[in-house]
Amino acid sequence: MSAGVTAALSTEEATIVATIGIIGGTGLENARPMERQALTVARTAFGDVMLSEGSTGGVDVVFVSRHGASHETLAHHVNHRANIAALRDRGVEQVVAANAVGSLRQSLPPGQLVVLSDFIDMTRRRHEPLDPHNVGHLDFSAPYCPRLRAALMRASETLCLDVERAAVYLSVDGPRFETPAEVRAFALLGADVVGMTGLPEAVLAREAGLCYAAVAIVTNLAAGLSHGIVAHERVAVTAERSAPAIWDLAVSAAAIADRAACCRHSP
């Protein structure tokens, strides 16, 4: 565990063995160094998933990279069902996802970390459920786990991280970036940030009965809000700078949240 996370946990907290699943996006394609770190292949009904497993400061971590170690998997090809099934089958009960996002508000500048609070699904491809017999009528009054969100915000305070406490995430298919007209429309709908991989992941996590929360890193102002073009290379560099902070935030939140009764939503 990094010095930042170690300092964030009291002696009592550091002795607790918690477990967290971390799903890394752009900028967090690879797991941070851990104790007893090992790569394993999880075989699911939806495909194989590479997992990086280890422990850090009393927290067991199971890490999944959405895009692969070298960002070889584009957003519209991410196998969300396999990723969520692999974490569920590994016994993970709480998941923190990292999302690189474009900002729809000038008040959310590049570099800002955000704990997501709600979402708008603008993807066009309807996802298949994990269980074909599940009717799928799940409640989403609280789109992200309130218990895990609260732990993330508490951890951000302890780690002295500047984290926006709420934002509405709008998900598109990608892999192209949005047009200025789309950006204006998304803002009118009430969205604060836009990304390509947060859905159907959040829905599948609910179907799997997982506590799921997401931390977004604003990598750029969306098209029409800045003077330059939106380039993936610049997006990746901004995301990479925040990767250690997001990792520390997720691990610290796991140690805090694990002591409370899990608020998993049963599908």
Side-chain angles (χ1 to χ4, degrees):
M1 179 174 283
S2 74
V5 176
T6 301
L9 304 179
S10 67
T11 302
E12 177 188 0
E13 289 171 327
T15 62
I16 297 167
V17 177
T19 302
I20 189 73
I22 298 177
I23 301 177
T26 298
L28 193 60
E29 284 90 355
N30 295 287
R32 305 289 106 178
M34 297 182 284
E35 303 166 13
R36 299 182 288 105
Q37 191 163 354
L39 291 175
T40 59
V41 176
R43 305 197 182 281
T44 78
F46 313 106
D48 295 348
V49 178
M50 183 67 72
L51 303 176
S52 182
E53 301 182 72
S55 64
T56 179
V59 178
D60 291 333
V61 178
V62 183
F63 175 81
V64 175
S65 177
R66 287 194 200 92
H67 300 290
S70 303
H71 204 94
E72 64 271 19
T73 304
L74 294 177
H76 62 307
H77 288 153
V78 173
N79 192 340
H80 294 287
R81 286 197 297 170
N83 291 343
I84 293 298
L87 291 172
R88 177 199 61 190
D89 296 347
R90 209 65 178 170
V92 171
E93 295 184 348
Q94 52 187 5
V95 176
V96 171
N99 295 95
V101 298
S103 175
L104 305 175
R105 315 283 184 199
Q106 294 283 357
S107 58
L108 291 175
Q112 179 68 56
L113 293 177
V114 182
V115 175
L116 299 179
S117 55
D118 206 340
F119 65 70
I120 299 172
D121 188 356
M122 295 290 285
T123 58
R124 297 182 181 90
R125 300 185 307 276
R126 302 185 68 165
H127 82 275
E128 294 295 327
L130 291 175
D131 180 358
H133 304 293
N134 186 344
V135 295
H137 300 313
L138 299 175
D139 176 64
F140 270 86
S141 299
Y144 299 96
C145 171
R147 181 187 64 87
L148 197 48
R149 288 188 70 250
L152 285 165
M153 288 183 282
R154 179 183 161 195
S156 71
E157 294 171 357
T158 308
L159 293 168
C160 298
L161 293 173
D162 178 19
V163 175
E164 187 75 17
R165 300 173 71 86
V168 177
Y169 174 93
L170 187 144
S171 188
V172 295
D173 287 330
R176 67 167 177 84
F177 290 115
E178 303 74 38
T179 69
E182 288 171 330
V183 168
R184 293 193 298 273
F186 295 162
L188 288 173
L189 286 173
D192 300 299
V193 295
V194 59
M196 304 175 190
T197 54
L199 293 164
E201 185 177 275
V203 175
L204 291 166
R206 180 67 54 86
E207 289 179 4
L210 305 180
C211 289
Y212 177 95
V215 179
I217 169 63
V218 176
T219 57
N220 58 282
L221 292 174
L225 298 181
S226 62
H227 298 297
I229 65 170
V230 181
H232 174 73
E233 293 75 17
R234 289 202 292 265
V235 166
V237 168
T238 302
E240 286 168 7
R241 289 174 183 156
S242 296
I246 293 175
W247 184 271
D248 283 357
L249 193 58
V251 172
S252 184
I256 295 169
D258 199 63
R259 292 179 299 173
C262 186
C263 68
R264 284 182 297 164
H265 298 265
S266 298

